[in-house]
Amino acid sequence: MGFGDAIQSFYKNFNDLSGRSSRSEYWWAYLFVNLVFIPVFALAVLLSIVVPFLGGLIFVAYIVIHALPFCTLLVRRLHDTGRSGWFALLIFVPFGGIAVFIFTLLESDAGQNRYGPN
């Protein structure tokens, strides 16, 4: 999956916890969210100098807007590796985030798994 397709899928499937997401889809969306974060953060810092509340509001709005789509993308990525989406909760356990990171790096299950076709 290419960059544009991954971004389109990221926003289109923002509330879909079923199915699978490929490794390329996950990492292209991750790159996009982080690249867009840089100018949003810079804008929030500059605005907070002038109007402190507005800078913080923009920063929080960006996080809130992208939190749900990214969580659902992570669940679908875990499904793609044959794991339950509940493994995403490991990020709240010390060193559990490392395990989740490794799961996102693994290859997709070949063919169909219990979460759907590849």
Side-chain angles (χ1 to χ4, degrees):
M1 177 175 286
F3 183 75
D5 294 333
I7 303 313
Q8 185 178 17
S9 176
F10 173 70
Y11 287 111
K12 185 176 120 187
N13 298 320
F14 77 95
N15 63 347
D16 185 13
L17 290 170
S18 63
R20 298 166 63 172
S21 289
S22 67
R23 185 170 38 177
S24 62
E25 178 183 356
Y26 179 83
W27 288 108
W28 280 126
Y30 184 86
L31 177 67
F32 174 77
V33 168
N34 284 294
L35 286 177
V36 171
F37 178 74
I38 294 168
V40 168
F41 181 73
L43 178 66
V45 168
L46 290 174
L47 283 176
S48 67
I49 294 170
V50 179
V51 183
F53 177 75
L54 186 58
L57 183 65
I58 288 174
F59 179 75
V60 169
Y62 181 82
I63 299 298
V64 168
I65 289 169
H66 289 91
L68 177 64
F70 201 78
C71 288
T72 58
L73 178 65
L74 175 60
V75 168
R76 289 192 314 271
R77 178 69 194 125
L78 290 170
H79 287 174
D80 194 45
T81 63
R83 289 170 179 75
S84 169
W86 291 104
F87 276 92
L89 295 176
L90 284 175
I91 63 172
F92 298 111
V93 175
F95 303 106
I98 295 170
V100 173
F101 173 69
I102 291 170
F103 294 154
T104 62
L105 294 175
L106 297 176
E107 288 189 36
S108 302
D109 283 351
Q112 184 161 336
N113 66 12
R114 63 183 172 170
Y115 301 105
N118 191 359

